[in-house]
Amino acid sequence: QVYKGLDIITNKVSPQEQRLCRHHMISFVDPLVSNYTVVDFRDKAVPLISSHAAACLAEQEWASPLHGQRDQYIFARDKIPIVVGGTNYYIESLLWKVLINTKEKPSSAPRPDSDRKVELEQLDSAELHRRLSQVDPEMAAKLHPHDKRKVARSLQVFEETGIPHSEILHQQQEEEGGGPLGGPLKYPHSCILWLHADQAALDARLEKRVDDMVAAGLLEELRDFHRRYNREKVAENRQDYQHGIFQSIGFKEFHEYLVSEGSCSPETSALLLEKGIQALKQVTKRYARRQNKWVRNRFLKRPGPNVPPVYGLEVSDLQRWEEDVLKPALEIVESFIQGREPPAEPLRMEHDEEENKRSHRVCELCARLIIGDREWAAHTRSKSHLHHLKKRRKLEASGRAGGTVGDSGDAETSDEDGSLPLP
């Protein structure tokens, strides 16, 4: 939502709602900027929240209509900042000291040209991981060789600071209040309100939302955006759906429809449109599941001290919004302001002290490297792994029936059972 344009597909709050409460961090980044990062977001959002002392410093570093008047800063007006999801990684950047600065001070805006991380991501995965292993073997051992974004980021940190990424993370974790996932809380009196719903109710609501978006003019918005910003890139075969606004859910789902519109039959165009709508519904539901998983894994299972309490609010039945959501949320926040215990109980933290988030296991059946105990447990229950396991057992049974027990080595069966070496 930080990017200008695509207001429908990104579900931006309406101008009418914005007039009811002051909103920040919406529609201020040029859509052609591809290297806007969570660090840029944090460096702009924290001064908006902070006291006047921090705000004065920010005024010198940021050129924005939001800056320049003292009453723009939330704490300076004795107000409470409400940080709204769902990109929970961005919320983490405001709650904890978890990010690393690689620039001396924030610039007034993201640089229009490609940054070093984007350049590094163009390299082969194996080469990227080899380079990181040379300068920061500890970080290389923690990251999956195929995770180009994280590997490139760690290389960028080393190149721009001269300090291994792992060493900087250790420094953060050793600060008072720090923990295994990063540094201490920025704001000690925070709480998290998690609105969750029954999966069936949520899926139905998300499907209706897509239908409402189409009715509100989604296709016209996408056509206009494609014509102004994307058509030339597609023609030159340099389209990138991995960075900037183009990675937003919804744009790439309609790519085939947009690039073929006007050059195919009306029947084909209608089929591609329906395909895009169904794809948008599926990816939206999938993203909602990932958001819920993130809350559980990063907020409810977060190891270490200084974890804000998480209060669950049930939103399955919108007819009960006042009773189930608004009233308890107001009571919780009011209790925090007054320094007393809220009437509601926070959700129980689920952290497993024995869990190793950095364990390395290679699944020979699936030819995959799995990092983390929880990820390994999930992998062993996955459909693909169980399929390969079933296939392996059939081969072993066939080998025993043919009297070749002991001769069915990996060399003969590797192409059939998926036990290929990792690159």
Side-chain angles (χ1 to χ4, degrees):
Q1 296 192 0
V2 300
Y3 294 97
K4 300 173 186 174
L6 291 181
D7 293 352
I8 298 175
I9 197 70
T10 56
N11 284 285
K12 287 177 183 164
V13 62
S14 69
Q16 293 80 5
E17 290 176 295
Q18 290 194 44
R19 285 194 286 270
L20 298 176
C21 177
R22 184 174 298 178
H23 288 67
H24 304 275
M25 306 296 291
I26 296 177
S27 297
F28 65 95
V29 177
D30 188 293
L32 293 184
V33 170
S34 63
N35 61 338
Y36 186 83
T37 69
V38 66
V39 175
D40 296 312
F41 174 84
R42 179 208 61 187
D43 289 346
K44 190 175 181 68
V46 167
L48 286 171
I49 294 171
S50 299
S51 64
H52 183 54
C56 289
L57 174 63
E59 284 181 29
Q60 302 170 17
E61 298 176 339
W62 288 95
S64 166
L66 291 175
H67 297 280
Q69 295 182 6
R70 182 183 185 276
D71 66 352
Q72 297 289 354
Y73 303 102
I74 298 171
F75 283 163
R77 291 184 285 115
D78 293 325
K79 300 295 183 181
I80 302 297
I82 302 174
V83 183
V84 183
T87 310
N88 295 315
Y89 182 46
Y90 280 58
I91 294 178
E92 280 199 46
S93 76
L94 301 184
L95 285 176
W96 286 278
K97 183 179 178 181
V98 292
L99 300 178
I100 295 172
N101 292 316
T102 58
K103 292 178 282 190
E104 291 184 6
K105 60 181 180 180
S107 58
S108 60
R111 292 167 290 171
D113 56 332
S114 176
D115 65 9
R116 180 57 177 157
K117 179 174 174 288
V118 175
E119 293 174 0
L120 288 167
E121 286 178 18
Q122 307 308 309
L123 297 174
D124 175 76
S125 296
E127 172 62 17
L128 263 181
H129 199 261
R130 185 189 66 79
R131 291 190 185 187
L132 183 61
S133 300
Q134 291 178 338
V135 298
D136 191 350
E138 180 181 344
M139 204 66 198
K142 292 179 179 180
L143 297 179
H144 196 291
H146 293 170
D147 195 341
K148 293 182 73 171
R149 285 194 171 192
K150 290 184 179 179
V151 175
R153 173 58 179 163
S154 289
L155 269 174
Q156 179 196 22
V157 168
F158 176 78
E159 289 183 0
E160 297 184 3
T161 66
I163 304 172
H165 193 177
S166 57
E167 184 177 330
I168 298 176
L169 293 178
H170 284 312
Q171 292 171 2
Q172 285 185 350
Q173 294 162 5
E174 289 168 2
E175 292 183 34
E176 184 178 356
L181 294 184
L185 278 170
K186 288 190 177 77
Y187 310 105
H189 303 295
S190 304
C191 70
I192 297 171
L193 304 177
W194 179 24
L195 279 64
H196 57 86
D198 173 78
Q199 195 62 57
L202 180 59
D203 286 347
R205 196 174 300 162
L206 291 173
E207 291 209 4
K208 182 180 182 302
R209 187 174 80 176
V210 172
D211 292 334
D212 291 343
M213 289 161 60
V214 173
L218 171 64
L219 298 181
E220 289 76 12
E221 178 181 87
L222 289 174
R223 284 192 196 101
D224 178 65
F225 201 87
H226 177 67
R227 183 178 63 253
R228 287 189 293 141
Y229 298 108
N230 200 46
R231 181 180 290 168
E232 184 179 336
K233 290 185 175 183
V234 172
E236 296 176 359
N237 197 28
R238 56 185 181 90
Q239 173 59 62
D240 178 11
Y241 286 121
Q242 302 300 317
H243 297 92
I245 196 170
F246 296 102
Q247 66 183 317
S248 302
I249 286 179
F251 201 90
K252 55 183 172 292
E253 283 69 31
F254 287 93
H255 173 84
E256 198 173 356
Y257 169 75
L258 292 171
V259 298
S260 64
E261 194 175 24
S263 62
C264 63
S265 68
E267 294 78 13
T268 300
S269 186
L271 288 173
L272 292 175
L273 172 58
E274 182 60 24
K275 179 182 176 183
I277 292 173
Q278 294 305 317
L280 177 56
K281 289 180 178 180
Q282 289 301 318
V283 75
T284 300
K285 290 185 288 187
R286 197 178 306 129
Y287 183 62
R289 285 169 169 77
R290 286 207 306 269
Q291 287 176 315
N292 285 332
K293 183 178 179 181
W294 185 285
V295 171
R296 294 188 182 95
N297 290 344
R298 303 287 287 191
F299 296 158
L300 290 177
K301 298 181 180 180
R302 192 181 187 95
N306 288 350
V307 180
V310 179
Y311 296 91
L313 301 172
E314 174 65 47
V315 294
S316 295
D317 185 359
L318 294 182
Q319 299 298 319
R320 292 185 52 83
W321 176 268
E322 296 278 340
E323 305 97 310
D324 294 345
V325 182
L326 182 58
K327 185 174 182 290
L330 290 174
E331 290 175 345
I332 291 168
V333 173
E334 186 176 356
S335 299
F336 266 80
I337 293 173
Q338 296 176 354
R340 55 184 174 83
E341 284 293 318
E345 286 289 326
L347 297 176
R348 185 176 61 85
M349 293 293 173
E350 306 170 4
H351 174 53
D352 181 1
E353 295 289 344
E354 302 300 320
E355 180 187 350
N356 183 354
K357 292 181 177 292
R358 298 301 183 185
S359 63
H360 283 58
R361 295 181 179 91
V362 174
C363 178
E364 295 182 356
L365 279 173
C366 305
R368 289 188 60 190
L369 169 64
I370 310 296
I371 298 179
D373 289 352
R374 190 183 305 128
E375 288 73 12
W376 174 256
H379 174 73
T380 57
R381 296 191 301 267
S382 67
K383 289 182 179 179
S384 62
H385 177 80
L386 294 176
H387 169 74
H388 283 111
L389 185 60
K390 183 178 179 181
K391 197 173 181 180
R392 164 63 69 86
R393 286 172 177 168
K394 282 185 178 180
L395 286 170
E396 290 176 345
S398 174
R400 285 193 295 270
T404 56
V405 177
D407 294 329
S408 55
D410 288 343
E412 285 78 12
T413 62
S414 61
D415 288 340
E416 295 179 352
D417 65 16
S419 301
L420 303 176
L422 286 169

